[in-house]
């Protein structure tokens, strides 16, 4: 087994469908895998369940979709850890209520020399979470004091619920680490990059307001300024032209209401405080438990989100960072991101005009804009983004694990605003090999094969193993 850190994200469905021992052997032999990111709890198709319905089922596992999949906790509930939150204990996943993935997999993996991490995805938007009693008490509040559809990091009950999950897993199982995922960019980043609704520009709950006042922010000015941002966003994204241009009119709002930037920073710091709390609780339970964060794909696409997510700051509360550098699906995703921001901040330019500017700002070197959905990003993108992340945490001791995509579905209109078709970019064994090798060439301390084993073709998984064995 390789001495390099080679992890894979995997859910309970794969072990149940194919058998734990068989799956572990496949992962080691095909992908050179020696670490498992076990998806629990999860309420999203990105990490839980079988293949995303509508996409080709891979050459392993049960050959049908689990259309009624809901998700939840795939481990045993220990109620004694959940007394300090109105949500109570985390609910068991209804698909396999008697199955404890951590109890089943961890000892078998350890016998093979594999480590096990609890891969915890926030999934704050999931319908199954909304069915929890008291869930409305955890929500962000919009400009008019109405609860939104998203949870608030500063709500004590929401924070304590996640800390309870971490304590439960850390004390109840022989885990090697915790990997936590939150794919939220904050209100101002959302308003810049896409059309938004009022409920996406929070949070103005009593907890956030008090923190804002403690920081010296004029809360009413922040609310008024965010209202101006909302009006600008909705006017611009509807196609109405401002005589001074979309970018200038947005910048004018920031000059008039610097509190808007302060409020975005408050939101970001609140998310980071959640990281700090999780890190502290995990270490208090088990000092050598490795704790880190999934940094989602906008870190490559948005200079605004990139400024928000300072690697050096994240390193203060991290043993590792899993950086999403999914090069195959990066093409379609960046195509969509550029197209979307041309409805808002850059509404006076075309996507083809904005794309070269974004490449310069983000230090990317990729193909022509119209070709992105067909060619993805290069393996060299993986190397450069890995090296940038390594430079960002230099001297901190924080490890960088590059996220490598294997057969992540592309082409669904709901996700990428692209039309399905055979001309869309697809992974191959060689492309996965090259991306994995590029990550190590860029200085990666390890890789995380993503998004989940249940959507990967075995030959493409073998591409990662080819790179690992030759590294």
């Amino acid at each position: 087994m390789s001495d390099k850190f080679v992890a894979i994200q995997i859910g309970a469905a794969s072990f149940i469908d194919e058998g734990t021992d068989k799956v572990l052997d496949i992962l080691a032999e095909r992908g050179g895998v020696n670490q498992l990111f076990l998806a629990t709890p999860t309420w999203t198709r990105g990490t839980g369940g079988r293949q995303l319905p509508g996409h080709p089922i891979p050459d392993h596992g049960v050959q049908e979709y689990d259309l009624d999949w809901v998700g939840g906790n795939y481990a045993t509930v220990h109620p004694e850890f959940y007394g300090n939150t109105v949500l109570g204990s985390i609910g068991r996943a209804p698909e396999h209520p008697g199955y404890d993935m951590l109890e089943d997999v961890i000892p078998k993996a350890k016998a093979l020399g594999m480590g096990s991490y609890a891969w915890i995805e926030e999934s704050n938007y999931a319908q199954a979470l909304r069915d929890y009693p008291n869930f409305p008490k955890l929500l962000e509040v919009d400009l008019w004091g109405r609860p939104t559809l998203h949870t608030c990091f500063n709500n004590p009950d929401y924070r304590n619920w996640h800390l309870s999950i971490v304590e439960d897993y850390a004390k109840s199982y022989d885990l090697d680490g915790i990997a936590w995922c939150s794919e939220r960019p904050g209100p101002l980043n959302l308003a810049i990059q896409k059309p938004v609704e009022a409920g996406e520009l929070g949070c103005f709950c009593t907890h956030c307001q008090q923190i804002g006042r403690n920081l010296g922010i004029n809360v009413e000015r922040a609310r008024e300024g965010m209202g101006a941002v909302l009006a600008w966003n909705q006017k611009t994204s509807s196609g109405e032209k401002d005589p001074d241009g979309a970018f200038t009119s947005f910048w004018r709002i920031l000059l008039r209401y610097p509190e808007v930037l302060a409020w975005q920073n408050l939101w970001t710091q609140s998310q980071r405080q959640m990281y700090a709390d999780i890190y502290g609780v995990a270490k208090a339970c088990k000092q050598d438990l490795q704790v880190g964060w999934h940094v989602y794909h906008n870190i490559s696409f948005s200079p605004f989100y990139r400024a928000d997510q300072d690697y050096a700051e994240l390193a203060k509360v991290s043993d590792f960072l899993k950086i999403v550098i999914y090069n195959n699906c990066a093409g379609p995703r960046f195509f969509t991101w550029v197209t979307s921001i041309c409805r808002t901040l850059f509404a006076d330019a075309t996507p083809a005009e904005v794309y070269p500017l974004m490449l310069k700002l983000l230090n990317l070197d990729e193909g022509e804009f119209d070709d992105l959905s067909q060619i993805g990003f290069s393996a060299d993108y993986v190397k450069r983004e890995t090296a940038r992340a390594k430079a960002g945490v230099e001297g901190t001791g924080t490890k960088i694990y590059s996220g490598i995509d294997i057969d992540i579905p592309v082409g669904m209109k709901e996700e990428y605003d692209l039309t399905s078709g055979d001309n869309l970019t697809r992974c191959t064994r060689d492309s996965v090999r090259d991306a994995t090798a590029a990550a190590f060439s860029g200085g990666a301390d390890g890789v995380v094969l993503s998004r989940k084993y249940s959507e990967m073709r075995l030959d493409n998984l073998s591409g990662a193993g080819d790179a690992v064995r030759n590294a």
Side-chain angles (χ1 to χ4, degrees):
M1 187 172 290
S2 172
D3 59 354
K4 293 189 177 297
F5 187 101
V6 183
I8 192 168
Q9 295 176 186
I10 185 168
S14 293
F15 297 112
I16 292 170
D17 289 348
E18 301 181 49
T20 301
D21 293 329
K22 178 182 177 182
V23 168
L24 295 179
D25 287 342
I26 290 173
L27 298 182
E29 292 169 9
R30 291 274 191 168
V33 170
N34 53 29
Q35 308 290 331
L36 305 173
F37 278 25
L38 301 167
T40 187
T42 181
W43 296 266
T44 172
R45 283 282 185 180
T47 53
R50 296 175 188 157
Q51 172 64 294
L52 196 68
H55 287 277
I57 295 174
D59 53 347
H60 59 92
V62 174
Q63 297 296 293
E64 62 182 40
Y65 301 112
D66 46 354
L67 298 176
D68 297 325
W69 184 86
V70 174
N73 183 18
Y74 293 94
T76 300
V77 176
H78 301 94
E80 62 269 26
F81 296 111
Y82 299 86
N84 198 28
T85 170
V86 295
L87 277 184
S89 300
I90 182 171
R92 294 299 301 269
E95 301 85 25
H96 312 291
Y99 178 68
D100 186 326
M101 176 171 58
L102 301 184
E103 183 179 69
D104 172 36
V105 175
I106 292 173
K108 294 175 182 176
K110 200 168 290 291
L112 296 174
M114 292 183 176
S116 297
Y117 288 63
W119 168 237
I120 302 173
E121 189 166 9
E122 187 192 6
S123 308
N124 77 99
Y125 50 82
Q127 181 57 51
L129 271 177
R130 301 188 190 288
D131 294 336
Y132 274 57
N134 294 311
F135 187 80
K137 296 178 181 179
L138 313 182
L139 298 175
E140 291 188 339
V141 170
D142 72 8
L143 302 168
W144 294 278
R146 304 172 303 190
T148 74
L149 297 178
H150 296 280
T151 47
C152 175
F153 290 121
N154 289 322
N155 186 293
D157 282 298
Y158 185 63
R159 188 183 298 276
N160 289 339
W161 188 63
H162 273 283
L163 298 181
S164 297
I165 296 170
V166 170
E167 183 181 7
D168 185 354
Y169 286 179
K171 290 182 176 178
S172 304
Y173 299 96
D174 189 17
L175 286 165
D176 295 281
I178 300 285
W180 202 74
C181 169
S182 175
E183 291 196 341
R184 291 202 266 171
L188 193 58
N189 282 324
L190 285 174
I192 287 171
Q193 70 189 34
K194 74 179 189 72
V196 296
E197 302 293 335
E200 296 180 275
L201 302 188
C203 169
F204 291 93
C205 73
T206 56
H207 307 294
C208 289
Q209 288 191 43
Q210 187 56 57
I211 292 172
R213 293 189 185 98
N214 292 345
L215 293 172
I217 303 172
N218 185 320
V219 175
E220 289 311 309
R221 288 273 302 170
R223 194 199 310 265
E224 186 178 333
M226 204 64 82
V229 169
L230 175 65
W232 165 86
N233 176 280
Q234 295 185 335
K235 172 184 173 181
T236 304
S237 62
S238 70
E240 186 176 343
K241 297 292 186 180
D242 188 287
D244 289 326
F247 185 92
T248 299
S249 57
F250 172 77
W251 191 258
R252 185 173 291 138
I253 294 172
L254 297 187
L255 293 175
R256 289 177 176 173
Y257 296 100
E259 295 85 359
V260 169
L261 282 173
W263 209 255
Q264 167 66 27
N265 194 49
L266 184 155
W267 191 96
T268 300
Q269 293 303 320
S270 300
Q271 185 185 54
R272 197 161 297 156
Q273 185 60 51
M274 175 76 94
Y275 293 169
D277 289 352
I278 290 171
Y279 185 88
V281 167
K283 294 294 186 178
C285 296
K286 186 178 178 182
Q287 186 61 40
D288 60 353
L289 205 64
Q290 297 296 288
V291 184
W293 325 107
H294 166 102
V295 182
Y296 90 122
H297 220 162
N298 262 22
I299 198 71
S300 287
F301 303 154
S302 169
F304 311 103
Y305 182 71
R306 181 177 286 187
D308 237 9
Q309 300 298 308
D310 184 341
Y311 285 141
E313 287 297 311
L314 287 171
K316 294 177 181 178
V317 291
S318 312
D319 293 313
F320 67 88
L321 296 173
K322 179 231 167 173
I323 311 298
V324 172
I325 318 177
Y326 301 164
N327 68 309
N328 184 66
C329 67
R333 288 182 173 184
F334 197 39
F335 182 98
T336 299
W337 189 90
V338 172
T339 302
S340 181
I341 202 171
C342 286
R343 295 184 62 190
T344 53
L345 190 64
F346 300 129
D348 300 303
T350 66
E353 292 168 334
V354 169
Y355 175 64
L357 173 63
M358 289 295 102
L359 292 183
K360 292 291 186 182
L361 295 180
L362 295 162
N363 193 29
L364 298 175
D365 183 15
E366 299 303 324
E368 296 298 318
F369 180 70
D370 289 340
D371 297 333
L372 284 186
S373 64
Q374 285 76 44
I375 62 175
F377 275 13
S378 64
D380 191 58
Y381 153 75
V382 177
K383 178 180 178 179
R384 284 182 277 110
E385 283 295 276
T386 299
R388 189 177 69 80
K390 285 290 291 183
V393 301
E394 186 176 4
T396 67
T398 297
K399 291 180 170 59
I400 295 297
Y401 300 149
S402 300
I404 305 297
D405 62 324
I406 304 180
D407 297 319
I408 293 179
V410 296
M412 287 194 70
K413 185 173 178 59
E414 303 93 286
E415 188 171 358
Y416 302 114
D417 291 329
L418 297 168
T419 302
S420 295
D422 292 337
N423 62 329
L424 291 170
T425 179
R426 297 284 185 260
C427 286
T428 66
R429 180 169 183 161
D430 288 351
S431 72
V432 173
R433 177 202 64 205
D434 292 347
T436 305
F440 288 121
S441 179
D445 299 290
V447 294
V448 182
L449 309 180
S450 306
R451 289 180 312 184
K452 58 180 181 178
Y453 169 71
S454 62
E455 66 188 9
M456 300 176 185
R457 293 187 59 80
L458 293 181
D459 195 49
N460 293 341
L461 174 60
S462 295
D466 294 341
V468 170
R469 283 183 282 273
N470 292 325

